[in-house]
Amino acid sequence: TGGQLARPRVHALDELAAALKLSRQVIVLRTETPLAFCFGLLQPHICVSIGLADALNDKELKAVLLHEDHHRRRYAPLRAMLAEAVGAVFFFLPVAAELRDLFLASMELEADRHAARVIARPVLAGALHKTLTHPLAVRSAQAAGITGLSATEARIAELLDDHPVVLRLSARSMILTSAAI
């Protein structure tokens, strides 16, 4: 960072990234929109926006970094791209889209569980809540329905409850796929 990015929260982000040994993997985006995501297929990196750093406290920012680092270490962008490709190839099977959605949701839940092992679940839930309710929040494409819940709703349910969310295929998609085959 540097220059115009010399803001207190960006310095906090830099310090947290350094403490987590992520300095070389974190890229700061110059936007007030609260964003955090992992990108890159073979050498994933983590992007965090100034807007998100400003919106979250240190513990929440650490939870976000831990969540995104799990995605980075597990090559989530590559895995998501492959899931999308398989879903597109088998578009004619109703179960394909549902399997894709379940897989993508499970990646988010896994990353949440990883972060929650290091930092308290309510902290991660707070970061997610602040991100979703921020006036400049980008509405996520992860709103696709999975077993009656969106991926975001499943994440919130698991973070606020002691029991893990179990993702299952619907009987409807299994029946329709069986009929199609």
Side-chain angles (χ1 to χ4, degrees):
T1 64
Q4 290 181 321
L5 294 180
R7 295 165 55 161
R9 295 305 302 153
V10 174
H11 289 302
L13 173 59
D14 288 342
E15 289 173 7
L16 285 168
L20 295 170
K21 297 181 177 25
L22 294 174
S23 294
R24 300 186 78 194
Q25 286 80 31
V26 174
I27 297 169
V28 178
L29 299 175
R30 296 175 186 236
T31 179
E32 296 300 321
T33 303
L35 297 169
F37 58 91
C38 181
F39 78 99
L41 299 179
L42 300 178
Q43 293 182 336
H45 284 77
I46 299 166
C47 281
V48 178
S49 69
I50 292 171
L52 187 67
D54 286 345
L56 305 180
N57 65 39
D58 286 354
K59 286 182 180 180
E60 292 164 338
L61 202 49
K62 180 178 180 179
V64 168
L65 288 173
L66 289 167
H67 174 98
E68 295 303 332
D69 185 47
H70 186 269
H71 285 315
R72 183 188 66 81
R73 289 184 294 106
R74 299 277 313 219
Y75 295 91
L78 177 61
R79 293 168 66 212
M81 183 188 75
L82 292 173
E84 292 287 351
V86 169
V89 167
F90 295 102
F91 70 93
F92 55 91
L93 296 175
V95 75
E98 191 171 344
L99 278 170
R100 179 203 59 223
D101 291 345
L102 289 172
F103 179 75
L104 295 174
S106 73
M107 287 194 328
E108 290 302 319
L109 291 169
E110 286 174 18
D112 285 347
R113 290 171 188 150
H114 168 74
R117 283 191 290 275
V118 178
I119 203 153
R121 283 186 326 197
V123 173
L124 184 56
L128 183 58
H129 178 263
K130 286 181 182 178
T131 303
L132 293 172
T133 60
H134 192 283
L136 299 176
V138 173
R139 301 303 166 221
S140 173
Q142 289 272 358
I146 52 168
T147 62
L149 293 177
S150 73
T152 301
E153 289 167 331
R155 291 178 66 196
I156 292 168
E158 184 164 299
L159 287 169
L160 297 178
D161 193 5
D162 282 336
H163 307 291
V165 170
V166 178
L167 302 175
R168 292 188 179 105
L169 288 171
S170 70
R172 180 180 184 275
S173 74
M174 294 298 292
I175 292 167
L176 290 173
T177 299
S178 296
I181 291 174

